[in-house]
Amino acid sequence: MLTAKCQVPPFIQSQVSFESGGKGIRLDCFLPDANGKRFPAVIGLHGSGGGHASMADPAGLLAEQGFAVYVLHYFDRTGTTEIDGLQTIFRHFPVWMKTLWDAVSFVARQPQVDPERIGLLGFSLGAYLALSASAIDSRIKAVVEFFGGMPKEMKFFTRRLCPVLILHGEQDKTVPVEEAYHLQQMLEKKQIAYEIQIYPGAGHGFSGETWRDAGLRTLAFLEKHLASGNRVKTEA
């Protein structure tokens, strides 16, 4: 996604768990060699298909660049294995939001994490969760969202916004590209920093050169808004 992988990854991969709503929630960890340092953290959120394994490559490559990455198994909270329709999403979304809130709390307490530099990386359903959480949680400093959007219901609850990288396929049949433009308008209205890339001909999910370009943009955005320590404007 971002760079070629080394044969021996310069990061440590493990799994930990924390409690949310009385349930054990797993986190796949991809951590740089701390050596007493604190790193910017990124919490990864998979899409409706689950797919924790598919998150390993982008997580590992970000870890190689000095980010502490945690892939959240938020389906653990609801015992979900697959999404059988929008009603399942609507029913569980508030609970997944609370799980993500608890995940941010857990990650912020880790000794290798700088709690002032936490971002979210979400794909599809995970992007909706990431954006929703960022609208109410001031601990989240940046969001990278792949082919997702901001739920319309969140306009009643939005307390603040943070810098967002919007990545979307022009021909997305699952999440229409209008979702990306709606989010763009919201950020412009609030005068919040954002970047947007709409890929002509791309659908729901990227591959090839589109995936590579999106990865490079992701790294540059996170380095700008998290790794550098810059304090770009957010709305309180």
Side-chain angles (χ1 to χ4, degrees), residues 37-50:
K37 297 179 182 177
R38 287 181 178 265
F39 298 97
V42 176
I43 299 175
L45 301 162
H46 60 74
S48 61

Side-chain angles (χ1 to χ4, degrees), residues 27 41-43 68 70 102-111 113 115 118:
L27 282 166
V42 176
I43 299 175
Y70 299 83
D102 292 341
V104 173
S105 298
F106 178 84
V107 167
R109 293 195 299 268
Q110 301 312 296
V113 168
I118 296 176

Side-chain angles (χ1 to χ4, degrees), residues 21 26 30 36 39 57 62 64 72 78 83 94 106 128 141 154 157 168 176 181 190 206 214 229 232-233:
R26 292 168 291 172
F30 302 79
F39 298 97
D57 279 348
L62 284 173
E64 288 178 0
L72 177 62
T78 50
I83 301 296
F106 178 84
Y128 278 95
K141 306 303 184 185
M154 284 305 297
F157 303 103
H168 217 107
Y181 294 130
K190 302 291 187 181
F206 299 156
V232 178
K233 179 186 174 183

